[in-house]
Amino acid sequence: MTRTTTARATGPGDAVVVGGGLAGVTAALSLADSGVRVTLLEGRPRLGGLAFSFRRGELTVDNGQHVYLRCCTAYRWFLERVGGAGLAPLQERLDVPVVDVARPAGRRLGRLRRDPLPVPLHLGRSLTAYPHLTLADRARVGRAAAALYRLDPEDPALDEQDFGSWLASHGQSPRAVEALWDLIGVATLNARAGDVSLALAAMVLRTGLLSEAGAADIGWARVPLGDLHDTLARRAMEAAGVRVVTRARATGLTRREDGRWQVDLTEGADGPGTLAADAVVLAVPPRETHALLPAGAVEDAGRLLEIGHSPILNVHVVYDRTVLDAPFVAGLGTPIQWVFDRTAASGLTEGQYLALSQSAAHEDIDAPVAELRARYLPELEKLLPLTRGARVRDFFVTRERTATFTPAPGVGRLRPGARTRLPGLALAGAWTATGWPATMEGAVRSGLGAADAALTTLGRARHARLDFEPAPAPAASLPGGAA
Ligand SMILES: Cc1cc2nc3c(=O)[nH]c(=O)nc-3n(C[C@H](O)[C@H](O)[C@H](O)COP(=O)(O)OP(=O)(O)OC[C@H]3O[C@@H](n4cnc5c(N)ncnc54)[C@H](O)[C@@H]3O)c2cc1C
């Protein structure tokens, strides 16, 4: 990339996307597909943001296990768009083994799975047979699910309430919260029910469990995340004509007198420089966005700094033999939340590599490795008895302290939309107002929304609506009769 110390025009209808996470990559692809000349700037040497891979000896390690659901239509579009759908397939049908290790009579396996029946019957048999709840709890879960279905996640009043209180007021026992609602909710929302906005919980659980029979079928990458979010994403962008510049950190953003935008860069292979463009998409975390936003770009920009962050810890253990005969398992009665078999995806050829995905990991996130080892290896012995005779060949952890925004009650007020008050400047990121919690789905949706906002300024239309998006409102129904 050639950098100059004066602003460099890149031509009419051009855009700079700042941030090479899923939101930024999506925005860049969407803009380029619509005929815009795009430069994407990423501060790190790689793309993929919070969902990436690195090498450790013979292993390729993901910074954290990522899954998506069949209802994640935007992320599924992303996978198709970069040519990675076949590398991250979905289960044919939801099937989650859940092992309770704390029963006096010994460990017990239950399953959350769906039948090939319409909603809500698809989960009926599984719930009725779920051994980790009493009969009375199972009946009450059904009633709470029906009440959840009647909620409107877009009602701002819901965002002020916490999901835990709502569950308690709908007859859910602490055991039902632990063995069902939190089992799903902690993994998808990165917080326990009592700490979660009812609006976000209702959105996720309604969409995942009650929108369509197959909505909660689980998908995950059978290759390192970096293959999808870096290698394939880069290839797709370059084929679409996007100029991808890594190790380039944006440090300033100003609107020039001629109405174009100027992006300052201080880091990068060629040293400092500036870029000019008609439109800019900021697809960076809230603090970085706040630091770059020109005054007056969004109402009460200070609220961005009030968005909290929640940690996710992954505990990685390599055994000398196979100890888990399923792709994943969830734990009850143990600090272990979810365990995934990473062997094939990591390139390991002997033994088995497990990753423990620990969400809402506030207590563990700063604990020394030795302490985590002393805590988690015995727990693995309870959950997976075959580990008892196995040798641990490697043990390490990955810590993501700002894995997601905190989905606390009131967070909805803090999340800005894609459009800013300044023409040509749009915001993206899983933390923006997508209605979704901090997920890959939210990130991709935000990128599409920001690209649309930028395209409006450029007087262009998106090249195509995607099949999961609602059709635009018919002209006659637009407010004020505007057509
Ligand atoms: C351990 C872990 C597990 C997770 N599990 C799941 C899961 O199972 N399912 C799921 O859907 N989601 C999961 N998530 C959440 C998901 O990864 C994120 O929501 C999503 O990747 C966020 O993408 P983004 O593009 O919005 O932001 P980011 O990924 O944060 O991307 C922002 C990018 O901007 C770059 N940047 C910042 N400042 C600048 C600057 N000034 N100039 C240039 N570049 C800059 C950063 O380097 C970064 O690459 C998980 C996250 C973690 C960390």
Side-chain angles (χ1 to χ4, degrees):
M1 177 191 180
T2 311
R3 288 210 186 76
T4 60
T5 46
T6 53
R8 187 168 74 84
T10 46
D14 51 19
V16 170
V17 175
V18 182
L22 291 173
V25 171
T26 301
L29 282 171
S30 184
L31 287 165
D33 289 347
S34 306
V36 177
R37 291 177 57 191
V38 184
T39 300
L40 179 132
L41 304 176
E42 165 55 51
R44 294 193 175 114
R46 50 153 185 87
L47 303 174
L50 286 164
F52 70 97
S53 311
F54 61 92
R55 293 284 299 180
R56 179 185 166 95
E58 61 178 330
L59 300 181
T60 305
V61 176
D62 287 351
N63 66 315
Q65 175 67 42
H66 279 64
V67 305
Y68 69 98
L69 304 181
R70 195 183 290 280
C71 62
C72 295
T73 44
Y75 182 65
R76 289 171 59 204
W77 164 83
F78 176 92
L79 288 174
E80 289 282 352
R81 178 65 187 79
V82 303
L87 302 174
L90 286 153
Q91 296 178 310
E92 197 176 320
R93 212 180 283 159
L94 174 73
D95 186 2
V96 178
V98 184
V99 173
D100 185 353
V101 301
R103 289 166 42 87
R107 62 194 283 288
R108 182 158 189 196
L109 171 70
R111 298 196 97 90
L112 289 170
R113 57 180 155 196
R114 76 170 170 97
D115 286 313
L117 293 170
V119 177
L121 302 176
H122 66 315
L123 295 176
R125 193 163 62 116
S126 174
L127 196 57
T128 314
Y130 192 53
H132 304 316
L133 295 181
T134 61
L135 268 177
D137 268 344
R138 287 177 227 168
R140 284 191 286 258
V141 162
R143 288 199 287 278
L148 196 66
Y149 188 67
R150 290 193 294 274
L151 294 177
D152 173 8
E154 289 180 21
D155 175 356
L158 261 56
D159 186 47
E160 302 301 324
Q161 299 173 49
D162 79 85
F163 184 42
S165 303
W166 185 91
L167 286 173
S169 68
H170 286 75
Q172 302 305 290
S173 67
R175 175 62 179 177
V177 174
E178 180 204 2
L180 188 74
W181 299 107
D182 266 355
L183 187 90
I184 306 166
V186 171
T188 48
L189 291 150
N190 199 18
R192 300 201 174 274
D195 300 324
V196 168
S197 150
L198 175 57
L200 279 174
M203 191 273 147
V204 165
L205 293 168
R206 276 174 48 119
T207 309
L209 298 179
L210 302 167
S211 63
E212 280 179 37
D217 300 344
I218 298 176
W220 66 97
R222 310 307 201 263
V223 295
L225 284 174
D227 288 13
L228 303 170
H229 300 160
D230 186 357
T231 311
L232 288 181
R234 189 185 292 259
R235 200 174 293 160
M237 282 194 287
E238 286 174 355
V242 177
R243 195 160 58 116
V244 178
V245 190
T246 48
R247 294 190 165 93
R249 177 157 289 272
T251 54
L253 178 63
T254 36
R255 187 138 185 258
R256 302 189 322 194
E257 278 181 8
D258 63 2
R260 280 167 63 77
W261 288 95
Q262 178 171 314
V263 182
D264 301 325
L265 320 167
T266 59
E267 295 167 32
D270 304 337
T274 62
L275 289 174
D278 296 312
V280 169
V281 173
L282 285 182
V284 297
R287 274 174 195 284
E288 285 81 347
T289 302
H290 183 266
L292 289 168
L293 270 185
V298 300
E299 194 183 341
D300 183 15
R303 71 191 150 123
L304 271 56
L305 301 177
E306 293 177 41
I307 298 175
H309 289 106
S310 297
I312 299 179
L313 174 81
N314 271 239
V315 175
H316 308 259
V317 193
V318 181
Y319 288 102
D320 65 349
R321 67 195 71 172
T322 300
V323 293
L324 169 67
D325 61 355
F328 56 83
V329 62
L332 281 180
T334 164
I336 297 175
Q337 296 172 7
W338 293 72
V339 182
F340 289 82
D341 177 10
R342 301 291 313 159
T343 310
S346 70
L348 186 75
T349 49
E350 259 181 69
Q352 191 173 35
Y353 162 25
L354 303 181
L356 282 56
S357 179
Q358 301 292 114
S359 299
H362 304 271
E363 284 174 20
D364 281 347
I365 198 69
D366 292 316
V369 177
E371 196 180 299
L372 294 169
R373 186 182 173 113
R375 181 173 315 155
Y376 281 101
L377 288 183
E379 293 296 335
L380 273 165
E381 291 190 2
K382 290 189 217 158
L383 187 70
L384 305 173
L386 289 178
T387 60
R388 286 173 201 157
R391 192 169 65 82
V392 174
R393 283 178 34 203
D394 196 4
F395 183 101
F396 59 100
V397 302
T398 44
R399 309 172 199 265
E400 292 287 357
R401 292 180 176 79
T402 58
T404 68
F405 70 83
T406 304
V411 73
R413 276 183 277 116
L414 308 177
R415 301 172 74 186
R419 280 168 211 278
T420 69
R421 288 167 165 171
L422 304 178
L425 177 60
L427 305 183
W431 60 277
T432 59
T434 64
W436 284 73
T439 50
M440 300 187 288
E441 175 72 6
V444 173
R445 281 177 184 255
S446 78
L448 292 170
D452 282 353
L455 287 168
T456 306
T457 307
L458 299 172
R460 292 175 185 252
R462 173 112 67 83
H463 74 293
R465 295 217 75 71
L466 307 174
D467 55 8
F468 60 84
E469 294 179 301
S477 70
L478 289 175

